[in-house]
Amino acid sequence: MQSSSLSVGLKEDHQGKFLDGLKRLQYIDFSRNAFEDQFRTSTFKSQLDILQCLILEGNFFTSIPLNLEDLNLLSFLNIRNNKIAYLTTNEIDAIEVLFEKSNRTMTVLLEGNPLVCTCASLDFVEWLFTTKVKLDSNGSYSCVENDGNITTTNVVYNQLRIMRIRCITTVWVIFSATLFGVLLLFILIGYRYKLHLQYFCLFIGMANPLFRKSKEESLEYDAYVA
């Protein structure tokens, strides 16, 4: 079913009828079908307990397009040449669950995706080289850094500790700059409207019964003559 423009037909398949009833289907190849949206839960409802191999290569997915937790026997996932920047923590956890379900034989193919090696993807990079899931290229893929430079996940992994420190430092710099900007804004506003603020504070104080009482108690006489 590759190169069949299935993305058009499946968009209208709200009831999951396309694969409905094919309960012995262990191998599905949806490669090069211009998919970009998540599959509906009903799409693979008849294959949840039998599907072992799913090929989604050459589409436009920006993430894994289905809930892997629903598939009980999946042991091979090909998502090469899509638009995935990195796998999220939830996606990684789901793959690890499948790894255990498949008797530790899970394979994931990721080559050809526009991966990024940024602060947001460091957990993904670490997973590539610590997981026991079988990956193509041994987890070493081309990726783009924040400054646009092209490197590899292997290089970033070898500098992971330094990268994490840089990311933490960057966050604190941004936070400090933002806080300073807010404080400076309040100071400027306070200076610009200082007379208004003084009048407002005086008005609030005079309207307070405790303030009036304390003023009255501090005066020895009711009236003074100059």
Side-chain angles (χ1 to χ4, degrees):
M1 290 181 284
Q2 57 178 294
S3 304
S4 302
S5 299
L6 292 177
S7 60
V8 178
L10 284 182
K11 275 187 177 181
E12 306 302 323
D13 185 23
H14 300 288
Q15 305 299 323
K17 294 181 179 180
F18 183 70
L19 299 174
D20 188 29
L22 301 176
K23 297 183 178 180
R24 296 185 179 182
L25 192 60
Q26 300 180 7
Y27 179 98
I28 295 178
D29 186 350
F30 278 172
S31 59
R32 292 179 290 280
N33 273 284
F35 285 115
E36 57 183 344
D37 298 323
Q38 292 277 319
F39 290 116
R40 291 183 174 85
T41 305
S42 59
T43 301
F44 302 103
K45 64 182 180 181
S46 295
Q47 293 79 41
L48 297 181
D49 296 320
I50 194 65
L51 185 63
Q52 297 181 24
C53 177
L54 180 59
I55 301 177
L56 303 173
E57 181 176 355
N59 289 289
F60 302 110
F61 296 121
T62 56
S63 61
I64 296 178
L66 70 162
N67 293 324
L68 295 177
E69 300 94 331
D70 296 336
L71 302 172
N72 294 314
L73 293 180
L74 188 70
S75 60
F76 186 90
L77 177 63
N78 181 351
I79 47 176
R80 286 175 172 170
N81 300 309
N82 278 277
K83 302 295 182 182
I84 296 173
Y86 62 92
L87 298 185
T88 65
T89 301
N90 288 338
E91 291 171 332
I92 290 172
D93 291 343
I95 291 174
E96 291 295 334
V97 170
L98 283 176
F99 176 71
E100 296 299 330
K101 286 182 179 180
S102 63
N103 294 320
R104 307 171 77 83
T105 60
M106 183 69 186
T107 298
V108 177
L109 307 184
L110 286 165
E111 189 71 58
N113 282 288
L115 301 178
V116 297
C117 289
T118 62
C119 294
S121 65
L122 291 185
D123 288 342
F124 166 64
V125 172
E126 183 176 13
W127 174 78
L128 291 175
F129 297 96
T130 56
T131 184
K132 294 182 180 179
V133 173
K134 185 177 180 180
L135 303 170
D136 52 340
S137 302
N138 294 319
S140 183
Y141 307 109
S142 175
C143 64
V144 180
E145 295 181 300
N146 279 326
D147 56 8
N149 289 331
I150 297 177
T151 183
T152 66
T153 53
N154 185 45
V155 170
V156 174
Y157 177 71
N158 290 330
Q159 301 175 349
L160 194 62
R161 184 172 177 274
I162 297 175
M163 291 285 290
R164 290 193 186 279
I165 292 174
R166 287 178 181 173
C167 290
I168 293 173
T169 302
T170 301
V171 170
W172 275 107
V173 168
I174 294 174
F175 174 78
S176 300
T178 302
L179 182 60
F180 176 77
V182 172
L183 290 175
L184 182 61
L185 179 62
F186 274 108
I187 291 173
L188 292 175
I189 292 175
Y191 181 78
R192 173 66 177 81
Y193 297 100
K194 61 180 180 180
L195 293 179
H196 296 78
L197 291 174
Q198 289 174 354
Y199 175 78
F200 177 76
C201 292
L202 180 61
F203 176 79
I204 294 297
M206 293 180 65
N208 191 327
L210 294 177
F211 176 81
R212 292 201 304 268
K213 183 177 180 181
S214 63
K215 290 290 290 181
E216 292 172 356
E217 291 176 349
S218 64
L219 299 177
E220 185 175 355
Y221 302 102
D222 293 335
Y224 290 87
V225 177

